[in-house]
Amino acid sequence: MGALDFSGGTAIMNPPDLIYLDNNATTKVDPAVVEEMMPYLTELYGNPSSGYRFGQQVSKALDLARERVATVLGCEPGEILFTSCGTESTNAAIHSALLMDRDRQHIVTTRVEHSATQKTCELLAKRGYEITWLGVNELGQVDVGELEKAIRPDTALVSVMWANNETGVLFPIPEIADIVRSKGALFHTDAVQAIGKVPVQLADAKINFLSLSGHKLHCPKGVGVLYVNRRTRFTPFMTGGSQENGKRAGTQNVASIVALGKACEIAGAFLEHEGTEVRAMRNTFEEGILERIAGAQVNGDRVNRLPNTSNLAFEGIDSEAVLMLLDQAGICCSSGSACTTGSVHASHVLKAMGFSDERARSSLRFSFGRYNTREEVTRALDAVEGVVGKLRRVAVAA
Ligand code: PLP
């Protein structure tokens, strides 16, 4: 069928018909991940903090998950702190950096961060902290020299994302981390979109904090990680019990953490596939669009970019209309990031790159993943060409 069925007030999509090209918003949960977590939703319900064996076997499952996450990040298990999501991880890192040294009240970040960082910094600015917002060029790249100059003796934290969720543009994080360390400030990177898509190895990187989110990795929603470098002092964001080595209070979401461990293990095994097969699907799609649709353009750096993301502008077209027609054809994609969908504002990322409101509103993000097939790419190409053509014909007739 492929259309939405609103019977009973609940929209139901027949999954075999769905072409899901919104993997930067969230991902399909891997069945192997579900299988791994199921016992912890059913018979293995002990509290990992309990001293008896029924609790301790659950605690061991958390240890295994921590090891698996640490392996994919190239760090130590003791540096992994489980949280409820990427947003919490980022809030915790910022909070800790500001509380560790009260004489440092300045943060450096970019204008293209996810709202987890952006809104938190905006709020801090209202509370008297000073924020330096670094701009980006038309390709979405940050000027590393400008970043270096922005760091001051009272800078508590520099927070720069590893990969942009809207354009996929990658920032030179190890290089930035070196600069920040040499200037004596702390460094946080929001790597929510990078993990599992490009190699991220923390062993030699001068990174103090890194945020990760499970649901971008074929794991259920509501679980994340904050990496805290073992030599970095940390003040908890959540206070209460002594879970997570005293760094994050609250009984752990055991089943989801177990799921995240498995998802990270699988992500490690699929990393090469992301760089080859997923990249090939994205490239075929993007090149097909540029070839077939007049006035289509790529937003952002096409070289230093995630292998799965394509952000495209369709001249003279309202992306919300494309989104709606593609939805009717059973294709999911996004105009801007999922977190800003529904808002009338043009994407802050595209605006920061110097694009007009009009260009930002004519842009769509397609993000591929390991469950996509080449056949879906062909069908999606035909569908986008058809929808854009139809909207252009309507505009000419009007
Ligand atoms: N950071 C980036 C770059 C993201 O893309 C997202 C989610 O879209 C987040 C942070 C927030 O992660 P979560 O949904 O786990 O809070």
Side-chain angles (χ1 to χ4, degrees), residues 31-87:
V33 167
V34 177
E35 196 182 326
E36 191 93 358
M37 77 189 288
M38 274 316 274
Y40 300 90
L41 289 172
T42 52
E43 67 266 27
L44 296 178
Y45 55 83
N47 188 323
S49 300
S50 299
Y52 40 77
R53 285 172 299 160
F54 187 57
Q56 284 311 293
Q57 65 184 345
V58 176
S59 174
K60 286 207 176 77
L62 293 185
D63 292 344
L64 175 61
R66 219 178 291 283
E67 275 165 31
R68 284 170 161 172
V69 176
T71 301
V72 91
L73 294 181
C75 66
E76 291 177 12
E79 296 176 309
I80 298 302
L81 163 56
F82 290 114
T83 65
S84 68
C85 59
T87 300

Side-chain angles (χ1 to χ4, degrees), residues 24-25 85-87 114 116 161 163 165 190 192-193 213 215-216 339:
N24 286 8
C85 59
T87 300
H114 183 269
M161 68 201 318
N165 44 306
D190 171 352
V192 163
Q193 293 292 346
S213 172
H215 73 104
K216 314 288 184 182
C339 308

Side-chain angles (χ1 to χ4, degrees), residues 266-295:
I266 300 172
F270 268 97
L271 194 57
E272 201 185 310
H273 180 88
E274 287 281 331
T276 52
E277 185 56 20
V278 175
R279 184 189 300 276
M281 284 191 283
R282 188 275 311 269
N283 288 351
T284 303
F285 177 80
E286 190 169 273
E287 282 152 22
I289 294 283
L290 297 177
E291 219 175 271
R292 294 196 206 178
I293 302 180

Side-chain angles (χ1 to χ4, degrees), residues 146-360:
E146 194 189 324
L147 178 139
E148 184 167 7
K149 279 194 218 123
I151 304 171
R152 314 187 311 212
D154 67 336
T155 302
L157 182 74
V158 176
S159 186
V160 177
M161 68 201 318
W162 201 301
N164 188 273
N165 44 306
E166 294 191 29
T167 58
V169 171
L170 292 160
F171 287 140
I173 293 303
E175 184 190 343
I176 292 175
D178 280 350
I179 292 170
V180 178
R181 176 70 56 91
S182 73
K183 293 271 199 167
L186 293 171
F187 181 61
H188 165 254
T189 181
D190 171 352
V192 163
Q193 293 292 346
I195 311 292
K197 295 174 186 153
V198 289
V200 169
Q201 283 298 307
L202 296 175
D204 300 320
K206 298 193 174 61
I207 294 171
N208 300 94
F209 307 107
L210 173 143
S211 301
L212 174 161
S213 172
H215 73 104
K216 314 288 184 182
L217 284 175
H218 305 281
C219 173
K221 294 152 193 68
V223 64
V225 159
L226 177 64
Y227 156 86
V228 183
N229 177 272
R230 63 192 172 284
R231 283 188 277 274
T232 302
R233 288 189 301 148
F234 184 75
T235 299
F237 182 54
M238 300 267 281
T239 46
S242 56
Q243 291 91 351
E244 294 299 290
N245 218 2
K247 292 199 175 91
R248 199 263 188 186
T251 302
Q252 289 96 337
N253 180 352
V254 173
S256 294
I257 290 171
V258 167
L260 181 54
K262 186 69 183 171
C264 280
E265 185 185 68
I266 300 172
F270 268 97
L271 194 57
E272 201 185 310
H273 180 88
E274 287 281 331
T276 52
E277 185 56 20
V278 175
R279 184 189 300 276
M281 284 191 283
R282 188 275 311 269
N283 288 351
T284 303
F285 177 80
E286 190 169 273
E287 282 152 22
I289 294 283
L290 297 177
E291 219 175 271
R292 294 196 206 178
I293 302 180
Q297 278 177 294
V298 177
N299 293 323
D301 185 350
R302 291 180 75 179
V303 180
N304 297 306
R305 185 171 52 148
L306 290 174
N308 80 319
T309 307
S310 178
N311 193 311
L312 292 154
F314 298 93
E315 200 184 358
I317 291 288
D318 173 13
S319 62
E320 290 300 320
V322 182
L323 207 66
M324 218 173 68
L325 292 175
L326 287 178
D327 185 10
Q328 282 169 13
I331 297 173
C332 303
C333 63
S334 176
S335 62
S337 81
C339 308
T340 55
T341 296
S343 109
V344 288
H345 301 295
S347 149
H348 72 283
V349 174
L350 299 179
K351 294 280 292 168
M353 288 160 71
F355 294 131
S356 63
D357 276 15
E358 195 192 350
R359 173 144 173 174

